[in-house]
């Protein structure tokens, strides 16, 4: 029985619409309408998407109202299951079997309860073979990526294909594409219906790169006219859907030719197999392995982290740390930056918690897991992939000196497989926490949710209780609440407040008689964030829930305070929006603490940056010092090995610099070095490396040279750069004492002809520089 409204409360309380929806679910009254999916090259219908409808004339006829009601009454899982069952029944009834395919949707909120067993039974009973493509929306990625990965696993096990829907609405979908490996990529309709721009180009570069690599099909939604169709072709879509080809209808259209949906072969290495394999074991047998102390691996890890931040919001990072103690405060600082600038970050290690720090997904490793003995860093983005995969050799002694066998690979399929291996472990732990006794779920098998069988109606019945609630109980409950409660009437002009509880009176600093009848904007001030206010207004206009924090002002003194607000729409029996209920809490202390923490974090970050700068840069010129140069040169050498490109190391020595010091003093010498360092910066490319060795010597590295003609082209390119540098450095420099100038001796070493290691290349360049200097002296 519904809760009786308390007399005297100036608002209609929400009417529970679960009964009507529950009846539709129990009686199997929901049906599917079908919209064709067309092969753009031939115009043939190759699939239909199933779209749910309620009975004609019902307020729950359209999907928006159906799902809004289900969410509001805890029936989403039941509705989602009924939608797919209706889709399968309709497909069987209308003969939508092979070679046609059927696209069905899964709501992201109910990924873990999708009743595949029920669907498999329906599919098995259909005449002919039912080809199913399960659509997963990218909305699930933002908060439930592990659930989405687990759902993909289950769908693959059923022998069905996977489509990733709404790609391009959020950047996270671009990051997860190579990990989810969808068979079909459905572009968000704005890509077809809006004017092309940089954001569209970014999405399509990533989608087309994935499609070319994987063979996935690209489907453009929202094609309503010929202009949309031309743009869909231009974007690389091979499939299309939209009103130009047919609107959703209860009986599939038969006026178009039909064809077969040619899906790529199912990917291998998913599910339990991914978790059973360690990233290091995924390296191809031909991979060249090296040995290095952990200290070097840490530096390589930092370099990959920097690459991840450069890749930005479309990048996924997965790392292992062996044990929780290796996830140090310094690691926390770096990973805080990764969380802020990349799409998804996870960390694994023995005894690591589910969230080692805010924004990082964690998973513990058992001592028997082979990954427990590895040091892995995986960075995967649409246009960049790299993985450091290392295995502990079991040394004892100082931690930083423990040796590892490792490889640094940029081969995309290996990097993606390593990422899936680590994410599979995160998924497995999420599932364990969700279903184990500590997760609060019941042990033993759980029956599949379905129409009339799910937990939603039980929750609704429990919520209704066995009798009416006395109005005095409601009044006392609202009065006792420590959170401010308000109700605004949307049917009246300016949406005035029609109820406030005592807690809100204390929060606002005004008695009820001074706030009733007013719009709640009186709490705002000139320093209230207009963007947040705009967001609230947009939610109210759309009849949606809203949660957030807003700066308000209290009483006649206008004392500022931070208000955490939760707004919920209230509809009448006919579904019309009539009121909004607001629950408000003073979170000023929390906001101030967060701001102080952020300020302290920024100060600490600045201090750490300064410490790092002092440790890795030359204090006079600001160039890298030898320590950082050699670390970056090591990374450049790995890249050269992986890509087959050429690389040169150049040592420059200033001839006559001692005479400048002796004649004009060390201050003038320092001024000269600073000016020449700036000339080096301006002349070299962004990817080139330069450092001051000390005194009057500089080291330069030139990666990305042409390795053709057995290295002769690389030698010619390096010689041309050296000639330019020599011309720049020997030009007179204006200093306080007038103009001074120096000569330059240079030595060049080429990789791999003169060596494959940093020390060998620097030594060869040094020897050639001294040879040139001796020649100059003889002249």
């Amino acid at each position: 029985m519904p809760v009786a409204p308390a007399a005297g409360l100036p608002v209609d309380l929400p009417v529970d619409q679960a009964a009507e929806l529950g009846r539709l679910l129990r009686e199997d009254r929901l049906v599917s309408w079908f919209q064709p999916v067309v092969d753009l090259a031939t115009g043939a219908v190759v699939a239909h998407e199933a779209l749910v409808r309620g009975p004609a004339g019902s307020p729950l006829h359209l999907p928006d109202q159906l799902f809004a009601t289900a969410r509001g009454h805890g029936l989403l899982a039941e509705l989602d299951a009924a939608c797919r069952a209706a889709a399968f029944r309709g497909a069987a009834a209308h003969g939508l079997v092979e070679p046609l395919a059927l696209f069905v949707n899964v709501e992201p909120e109910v990924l873990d309860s999708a009743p595949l067993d029920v669907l498999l039974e329906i599919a098995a009973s259909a005449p002919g073979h039912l080809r199913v493509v399960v659509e997963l929306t990218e909305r699930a990625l933002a908060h439930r990526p592990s659930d989405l990965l687990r759902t993909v696993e289950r769908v693959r096990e059923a022998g069905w294909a996977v489509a990733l829907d709404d790609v391009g609405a959020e950047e996270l979908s671009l990051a997860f594409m190579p990990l989810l490996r969808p068979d079909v990529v459905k572009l968000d309709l704005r890509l077809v219906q809006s004017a092309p721009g940089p954001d569209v180009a970014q999405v399509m570069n990533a989608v087309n790169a994935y499609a070319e690599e994987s063979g996935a099909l690209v489907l453009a939604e929202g094609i309503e006219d010929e202009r949309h169709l031309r743009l869909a072709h231009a974007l690389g879509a091979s499939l299309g859907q939209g009103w130009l080809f047919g609107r959703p209808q209860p009986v599939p259209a038969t006026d178009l030719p039909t064809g077969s949906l040619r899906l790529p072969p199912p990917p291998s290495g998913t599910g339990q197999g991914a978790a059973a394999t360690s990233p290091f074991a995924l390296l191809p047998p031909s991979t060249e392995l090296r040995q290095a102390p952990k200290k070097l691996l840490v530096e390589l890890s930092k370099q990959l982290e920097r690459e991840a931040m450069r890749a930005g919001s479309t990048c996924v990072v997965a790392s292992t740390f062996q044990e929780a103690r290796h996830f140090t405060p310094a690691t926390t600082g770096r990973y805080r930056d990764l969380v802020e600038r990349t799409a998804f970050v996870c960390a694994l290690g023995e005894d690591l918690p589910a969230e080692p720090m805010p924004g990082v997904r964690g998973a513990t490793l058992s001592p028997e897991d082979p990954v427990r003995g590895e040091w892995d860093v995986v960075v995967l983005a649409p246009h960049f992939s790299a993985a450091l995969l290392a295995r502990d050799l079991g040394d004892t002694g100082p931690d930083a000196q423990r040796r590892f066998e490792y490889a640094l690979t940029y081969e995309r399929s290996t990097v993606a497989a390593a990422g899936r291996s680590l994410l599979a472990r995160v998924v497995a732990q999420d599932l364990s926490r969700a279903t184990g006794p500590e997760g609060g779920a019941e042990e033993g098998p759980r029956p599949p949710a379905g129409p009339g069988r799910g937990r939603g109606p039980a929750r609704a019945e429990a919520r209704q209780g066995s009798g009416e609630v006395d109005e005095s109980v409601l009044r006392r409950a609202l009065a006792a609440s420590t959170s401010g409660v308000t109700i605004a009437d949307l049917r009246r002009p300016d949406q005035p407040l029609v109820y406030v509880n005592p807690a809100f009176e204390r929060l606002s600093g005004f008695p009820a008689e001074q706030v009733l009848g007013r719009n709640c904007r009186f709490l705002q001030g000139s320093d209230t964030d207009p963007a947040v206010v705009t967001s609230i207004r947009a939610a109210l206009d759309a009849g949606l829930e809203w949660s957030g924090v807003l700066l308000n002002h209290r009483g006649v003194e206008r004392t500022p305070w931070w208000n955490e607000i939760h707004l919920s729409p209230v509809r009448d029996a006919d579904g019309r929006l009539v009121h909004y209920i607001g629950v408000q809490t003073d979170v000023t202390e929390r906001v101030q603490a967060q701001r102080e923490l952020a300020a302290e974090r920024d100060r600490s970050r600045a201090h750490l940056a300064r410490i790092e700068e002092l440790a890795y840069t030359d204090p006079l010129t600001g160039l890298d010092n030898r320590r950082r140069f050699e670390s970056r040169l090591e990374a450049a050498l790995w890249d050269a090995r992986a890509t087959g490109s050429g690389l040169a190391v150049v040592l420059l020595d200033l001839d006559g610099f001692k005479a400048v010091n002796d004649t004009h003093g060390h201050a003038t010498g320092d001024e000269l070095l600073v000016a020449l360092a700036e000339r080096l910066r301006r002349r070299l490319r962004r990817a080139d490396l330069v450092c001051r060795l000390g005194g009057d010597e500089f080291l330069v590295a030139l990666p990305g040279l042409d390795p053709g003609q057995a290295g002769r082209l690389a030698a010619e390119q390096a010689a041309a750069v050296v000639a330019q540098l020599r011309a720049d450095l020997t030009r007179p420099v204006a200093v306080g004492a007038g103009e001074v100038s120096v000569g330059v001796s240079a030595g060049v070493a080429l990789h791999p002809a003169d060596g494959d290691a940093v020390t060998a290349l620097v030594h060869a360049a040094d020897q050639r520089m001294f040879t040139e200097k001796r020649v100059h002296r003889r002249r």
Side-chain angles (χ1 to χ4, degrees), residues 504-511 514-515 518 522-524 552-561:
F504 180 79
E505 295 181 76
R506 294 190 293 272
L507 287 174
S508 67
F510 293 103
Q514 293 187 24
V515 299
R518 301 174 64 183
F522 74 88
L523 294 171
Q524 300 168 17
N552 284 162
H553 296 80
R554 179 179 294 118
V556 295
E557 300 85 4
R558 307 299 290 164
T559 305
W561 61 287

Side-chain angles (χ1 to χ4, degrees), residues 424-438:
R425 287 165 167 82
V426 177
V427 170
Q429 298 230 343
D430 285 350
L431 180 60
S432 175
R433 282 190 287 266
T435 59
E438 293 181 1

Side-chain angles (χ1 to χ4, degrees), residues 358-377:
V360 174
R361 298 292 294 272
T364 187
L365 296 173
S366 71
E368 295 76 26
D369 192 324
V371 178
R372 167 63 178 78
E374 295 185 9
W375 186 278
D376 304 316
V377 180

Side-chain angles (χ1 to χ4, degrees), residues 660-747:
V660 172
N661 270 342
D662 293 343
T663 304
H664 303 286
H666 288 280
T668 298
D670 289 348
E671 199 175 347
L672 173 62
L673 289 173
V674 171
L676 296 182
E678 182 59 29
R679 290 182 182 180
L680 284 172
R681 284 194 191 94
R682 291 180 179 177
R683 171 59 64 183
L684 294 171
R685 302 168 300 173
R686 184 185 295 265
D688 296 335
L689 307 176
V690 59
C691 80
R692 181 188 174 206
L693 282 180
D696 57 357
E697 289 186 331
F698 297 89
L699 261 178
V700 173
L702 306 173
L705 302 181
D706 189 338
Q709 298 181 15
R712 285 194 295 274
L713 293 180
E716 292 172 1
Q717 291 174 329
V721 173
V722 170
Q724 293 171 339
L725 295 177
R726 195 190 305 274
D728 285 347
L729 297 180
T730 55
R731 281 190 291 109
V733 176
V735 295
E739 284 192 345
V740 295
S741 60
V742 291
V744 172
S745 295

Side-chain angles (χ1 to χ4, degrees), residues 255-609:
D255 57 340
L256 291 174
T258 59
S260 177
L261 182 66
R262 300 186 182 279
L263 294 167
S268 58
T270 59
Q272 300 297 327
T277 307
S278 79
F280 187 86
L282 292 168
L283 286 167
S286 59
T287 303
E288 181 181 0
L289 299 178
R290 302 174 183 275
Q291 291 187 8
K294 179 184 172 182
K295 184 177 181 181
L296 177 58
L297 295 189
V298 171
E299 294 303 319
L300 295 177
S301 301
K302 292 178 181 177
Q303 177 62 27
L304 289 185
E305 292 162 12
R306 288 190 285 268
E307 294 288 354
M309 286 191 283
R310 277 193 283 270
S313 57
T314 60
C315 185
V316 171
V317 180
S319 304
T320 65
F321 292 87
Q322 295 193 301
E323 302 173 42
R325 63 188 178 92
H326 298 314
F327 198 88
T328 64
T331 306
T332 300
R334 301 198 314 274
Y335 271 61
R336 183 181 296 114
D337 292 337
L338 284 172
V339 168
E340 292 175 356
R341 297 175 61 178
T342 64
F344 180 83
V345 183
C346 67
L348 299 86
E350 187 175 354
D351 296 327
L352 265 179
E355 191 175 44
M357 58 170 289
V360 174
R361 298 292 294 272
T364 187
L365 296 173
S366 71
E368 295 76 26
D369 192 324
V371 178
R372 167 63 178 78
E374 295 185 9
W375 186 278
D376 304 316
V377 180
V378 176
V379 176
L380 189 59
H383 301 292
F384 179 82
S385 61
L388 171 65
L389 307 178
R391 180 171 57 191
D392 196 334
L393 293 177
D395 291 350
T396 58
D399 183 67
Q401 299 305 317
R402 290 191 296 121
R403 290 179 306 134
F404 286 74
E405 192 174 36
Y406 77 94
L408 184 66
T409 179
Y410 297 89
E411 206 283 314
R412 190 169 185 82
S413 62
T414 302
V415 175
R420 285 190 292 270
S421 173
L422 296 181
L423 282 174
R425 287 165 167 82
V426 177
V427 170
Q429 298 230 343
D430 285 350
L431 180 60
S432 175
R433 282 190 287 266
T435 59
E438 293 181 1
E442 295 179 357
E443 296 185 67
R446 185 174 66 193
R453 299 180 61 187
R455 292 168 288 171
R459 287 198 299 268
E461 291 170 9
R463 190 168 57 245
Q464 293 170 2
S466 58
E468 296 185 354
V469 178
D470 186 85
E471 70 175 69
S472 62
V473 175
L474 291 176
R475 283 194 169 279
R476 288 198 300 272
L478 289 171
S481 172
T482 58
S483 296
V485 179
T486 60
I487 300 176
D489 191 343
L490 270 67
R491 299 169 298 183
R492 294 166 58 183
D494 206 31
Q495 304 172 353
L497 294 174
V498 294
Y499 173 80
V500 297
N501 72 341
F504 180 79
E505 295 181 76
R506 294 190 293 272
L507 287 174
S508 67
F510 293 103
E513 56 268 21
Q514 293 187 24
V515 299
L516 292 176
R518 301 174 64 183
N519 186 287
C520 60
R521 74 173 71 89
F522 74 88
L523 294 171
Q524 300 168 17
S526 59
D527 49 354
T528 300
D529 188 346
V532 179
V533 175
T534 300
S535 173
I536 294 174
R537 288 174 179 165
L540 296 180
D541 291 342
L544 302 175
E545 293 185 1
W546 188 90
S547 296
V549 177
L550 183 71
L551 182 63
N552 284 162
H553 296 80
R554 179 179 294 118
V556 295
E557 300 85 4
R558 307 299 290 164
T559 305
W561 61 287
W562 289 96
N563 187 359
E564 184 175 65
I565 309 171
H566 299 272
L567 300 175
S568 299
V570 180
R571 302 180 185 274
D572 63 14
D574 296 324
R576 291 189 299 268
L577 183 62
V578 291
H579 296 93
Y580 256 92
I581 293 180
V583 179
Q584 308 176 53
T585 307
D586 187 344
V587 292
T588 303
E589 291 186 1
R590 189 186 77 192
V591 172
Q592 290 175 342
Q594 288 172 339
R595 291 188 165 192
E596 291 171 2
L597 180 61
E600 183 60 35
R601 185 174 65 202
D602 290 342
R603 285 193 293 271
S604 299
R605 189 178 298 160
H607 292 324
L608 289 172

